Amino acid sequence: EVQLVESGGGLVKPGGSLRLSCAASGFTFNTYSMNWVRQAPGKGLEWVSFISSTTDYIYYADSVRGRFTISRDDANTSLYLQMTRLGAEDTAVYYCARGLVSGTTTPSPFDLWGQGTLVTVSS
Amino acid sequence: IQMTQSPSTLSASVGDRVSITCRASQNIGYWLAWYQHKPGKAPKLLIYQASSLQSGVPSTFSGSGLGTEFTLTISSLQPDDFATYYCQHYNTYTYTFGQGTKLEIK
């Protein structure tokens, strides 16, 4: 089955760190760009980060640049998001999402999403 | 690039034809996608390249527009269509989403 499954969310104190994982299955993971998108409670979708299939291109939203690091392990078909210096504004459901077009580094919409993992930043 | 959707909320009945507008703060060509999102579920890609229907999406959904103004139209609302809809640009890697339009049952 083609799917993405996020894990690693939970409750963390302000200033703390957390690492999210996204396990991919059912498709050729190493040919697709991947993204993290989040949704804060009661808010809309916010793109967080992009990594190309070759890892040559990595981008971040201004709101997380310098605090979050995206990475991938093609051997284990997994995507990661290392989050540091977390604040209340980072509380959200975090989704991993696949780029529509394989084998390209150009921007593309997201055709496959996971169910999300909840990150709560609170003391 | 900022993406602005209107309306924020839309009340309609099963069988109605509805349209949602998305405006970009600068020219994005046709690099525009539409998503459907229901609470507790993964977002679903409906339309890409402004007017291309994603595989498996009913033909009651259609998209149009170019440049800075885009429209998502549902020709005949079905019960399963009540959800929140987002536009998203992807002409750069900033991938900004609109603020969303909640489609409610009247």
Side-chain angles (χ1 to χ4, degrees):
Chain A
E1 182 185 0
V2 177
Q3 64 177 356
L4 299 170
V5 179
E6 301 93 339
S7 61
L11 177 63
V12 60
K13 288 181 167 51
S17 300
L18 206 58
R19 189 195 196 205
L20 304 183
S21 300
C22 170
S25 58
F27 64 97
T28 310
F29 180 76
N30 64 4
T31 67
Y32 285 87
S33 62
M34 298 295 297
N35 299 267
W36 287 99
V37 177
R38 67 185 180 183
Q39 184 178 35
K43 302 295 185 181
L45 299 173
E46 179 189 16
W47 170 78
V48 171
S49 184
F50 164 95
I51 185 167
S52 66
S53 58
T54 60
T55 71
D56 289 341
Y57 299 91
I58 290 177
Y59 298 94
Y60 299 96
D62 289 344
S63 58
V64 307
R65 187 177 296 113
R67 300 187 300 122
F68 290 11
T69 303
I70 191 172
S71 62
R72 62 190 297 158
D73 180 348
D74 291 344
N76 289 302
T77 64
S78 292
L79 177 73
Y80 304 101
L81 187 68
Q82 178 68 48
M83 304 185 296
T84 65
R85 290 185 280 140
L86 285 162
E89 68 278 9
D90 298 313
T91 294
V93 174
Y94 284 74
Y95 299 95
C96 61
R98 185 183 76 174
L100 174 64
V101 182
S102 68
T104 178
T105 58
T106 57
S108 61
F110 310 153
D111 71 325
L112 179 66
W113 298 63
Q115 292 293 319
T117 187
L118 177 62
V119 172
T120 303
V121 183
S122 176
S123 55
Chain B
I1 300 174
Q2 305 300 318
M3 307 300 292
T4 304
Q5 288 180 233
S6 61
S8 296
T9 307
L10 182 56
S11 296
S13 302
V14 172
D16 283 355
R17 178 186 179 92
V18 299
S19 293
I20 299 168
T21 297
C22 177
R23 289 186 173 86
S25 60
Q26 64 187 67
N27 189 338
I28 60 170
Y30 54 39
W31 304 115
L32 190 283
W34 290 96
Y35 298 85
Q36 178 191 70
H37 193 202
K38 297 179 180 179
K41 302 282 190 178
K44 177 183 179 182
L45 176 65
L46 302 173
I47 302 284
Y48 62 95
Q49 274 182 229
S51 61
S52 296
L53 194 67
Q54 172 67 349
S55 175
V57 174
S59 59
T60 52
F61 290 88
S62 63
S64 64
L66 180 67
T68 62
E69 187 154 337
F70 303 85
T71 302
L72 173 71
T73 299
I74 309 173
S75 61
S76 179
L77 275 173
Q78 301 304 302
D80 192 48
D81 297 338
F82 292 94
T84 300
Y85 292 84
Y86 295 91
C87 63
Q88 176 207 36
H89 88 77
Y90 57 98
N91 73 322
T92 70
Y93 291 102
T94 54
Y95 287 118
T96 313
F97 289 91
Q99 80 278 17
T101 295
K102 186 175 183 179
L103 180 53
E104 300 178 329
I105 300 175
K106 184 185 288 184

